[in-house]
Amino acid sequence: MDAFWIIFTGSLVAICCSLLGCFLILRRMAMVGDAISHAVLPGIVLAFLFSGSREVWTMLLGAAALGVACTFLIEFFHKKALVQADASIGVTFTWLFALGIILISVYAGKVDLDQDCVLYGEIAYVPLDLWLTETGMNLGPRTVWIIGGVLLILLLFISLFYKQLYLTSFDPAFAAAIGISTTLWYYLLMGAVSLTTVAAFESVGAILVVALMVGPPATAYLLTDNLKKILVISSLLGVIASAAGFYLALWLNGSVAGAISAVIGLQFLLAFVFSPTHGLISRRRIRTAVARA
């Protein structure tokens, strides 16, 4: 039963991250998930310092506030200071992450509030964190309910506003010309990324969140050019990686998150070589055929 909950949690996180990762890659902002997952650290520390509590909801609120602030700063530096998007992401998350480490070392050095827990997580512990009602009823792992709720919100968000997300990601100039606010949809998308990242890193860790947000969508983009198919394929690849990574970790007696990330890398490598449209072999065949013609 523990194996089921671990794979199920990994699959839920994979679908959430993959769906958002597709739009981030379209916008050439794939590393925003990495930025947010690191930048929320000072939010966690500040939430503890102000509340004096390590309750999960307090930590999540603090992390979510810094996640939103991180996306605002990235856009502010990019638009107002005319800094390139990738440089803006790098500058923002590094100094926010450094601020979090300083706050931990100065104000929370003797408290069990470790940055390693935030970064690496441990999905194998998911079955131990159960949600028990006042009557003692076991509702299963708490993380499954949290991630499941986030997934429902994301599915509703993407299905209702697919057109706006599609246009502002593919052609923001055209979207602005027909009256769609690119700034509004940027912040809505970044808010969804913040929500997903904050909800997921507590259980699976920031490293795995970033791998799932970038790897499956990048692999799907090598397999098809249709965005709807990309969303479906990337989600399926994430689920497959979660299941295969768990059993690989079981066989190697190693880290589950590390094994899942390794499977994601293998998926990308296979698509890079064997993709029928953008693969290395198919492109070489096309070049050979053109040369002979």
Side-chain angles (χ1 to χ4, degrees), residues 9-94:
T9 302
S11 299
L12 291 176
V13 174
I15 296 173
C16 291
C17 293
S18 297
L19 291 175
L20 294 174
C22 293
F23 293 104
L24 291 178
I25 287 180
L26 274 177
R27 292 168 175 263
R28 299 183 180 180
M29 300 184 72
M31 297 311 294
V32 165
D34 186 28
I36 293 174
S37 61
H38 286 73
V40 297
L41 184 59
I44 294 174
V45 182
L46 290 173
F48 166 74
L49 292 177
F50 282 110
S51 67
S53 169
R54 288 182 295 156
E55 290 293 327
V56 61
W57 294 111
T58 304
M59 300 290 104
L60 287 178
L61 286 174
L66 259 292
V68 173
C70 177
T71 60
F72 173 79
L73 288 173
I74 289 172
E75 184 70 359
F76 177 81
F77 291 142
H78 177 53
K79 292 291 180 65
K80 300 299 182 181
L82 301 180
V83 178
Q84 293 293 328
D86 55 350
S88 178
I89 292 171
V91 169
T92 301
F93 96 80
T94 49

Side-chain angles (χ1 to χ4, degrees), residues 210-243:
V210 175
L212 289 169
M213 199 166 284
V214 177
T219 304
Y221 271 101
L222 292 175
L223 300 176
T224 180
D225 295 322
N226 185 293
L227 181 57
K228 291 184 178 180
K229 290 181 180 179
I230 288 172
L231 292 170
V232 174
I233 291 173
S234 63
S235 299
L236 290 175
L237 289 172
V239 172
I240 292 171
S242 299

Side-chain angles (χ1 to χ4, degrees), residues 169-250:
S169 297
F170 264 112
D171 195 343
F174 175 73
I178 62 175
I180 297 176
S181 173
T182 56
T183 302
L184 171 64
W185 289 102
Y186 167 82
Y187 283 116
L188 287 175
L189 179 61
M190 293 303 108
V193 173
S194 298
L195 175 66
T196 302
T197 303
V198 170
F201 73 61
E202 184 215 356
S203 56
V204 305
I207 303 301
L208 184 54
V209 169
V210 175
L212 289 169
M213 199 166 284
V214 177
T219 304
Y221 271 101
L222 292 175
L223 300 176
T224 180
D225 295 322
N226 185 293
L227 181 57
K228 291 184 178 180
K229 290 181 180 179
I230 288 172
L231 292 170
V232 174
I233 291 173
S234 63
S235 299
L236 290 175
L237 289 172
V239 172
I240 292 171
S242 299
F246 171 76
Y247 288 108
L248 176 62
L250 199 64

Side-chain angles (χ1 to χ4, degrees), residues 261-283:
S261 300
V263 173
I264 292 171
L266 179 61
Q267 288 176 338
F268 179 80
L269 182 61
L270 291 174
F272 174 72
V273 176
F274 298 108
S275 170
T277 54
H278 302 293
L280 196 62
I281 295 176
S282 64
R283 284 184 293 172

Side-chain angles (χ1 to χ4, degrees), residues 94-235:
T94 49
W95 77 262
L96 284 176
F97 184 56
L99 177 62
I101 293 176
I102 292 172
L103 289 173
I104 284 182
S105 61
V106 174
Y107 296 107
K110 296 182 180 179
V111 180
D112 182 20
L113 195 65
D114 188 2
Q115 60 265 33
D116 289 342
C117 298
V118 176
L119 281 179
Y120 305 114
E122 186 46 78
I123 193 172
Y125 294 155
V126 165
L128 303 179
D129 186 13
L130 301 176
W131 186 5
L132 301 176
T133 64
E134 294 181 356
T135 59
M137 181 183 295
N138 184 356
L139 298 179
R142 178 178 51 83
T143 301
V144 171
W145 289 93
I146 295 175
I147 301 299
V150 171
L151 177 57
L152 290 177
I153 293 173
L154 289 181
L155 290 175
L156 189 63
F157 174 62
I158 293 174
S159 60
L160 289 178
F161 305 112
Y162 176 81
K163 175 185 174 182
Q164 290 86 344
L165 293 170
Y166 179 89
L167 289 176
T168 55
S169 297
F170 264 112
D171 195 343
F174 175 73
I178 62 175
I180 297 176
S181 173
T182 56
T183 302
L184 171 64
W185 289 102
Y186 167 82
Y187 283 116
L188 287 175
L189 179 61
M190 293 303 108
V193 173
S194 298
L195 175 66
T196 302
T197 303
V198 170
F201 73 61
E202 184 215 356
S203 56
V204 305
I207 303 301
L208 184 54
V209 169
V210 175
L212 289 169
M213 199 166 284
V214 177
T219 304
Y221 271 101
L222 292 175
L223 300 176
T224 180
D225 295 322
N226 185 293
L227 181 57
K228 291 184 178 180
K229 290 181 180 179
I230 288 172
L231 292 170
V232 174
I233 291 173
S234 63
S235 299

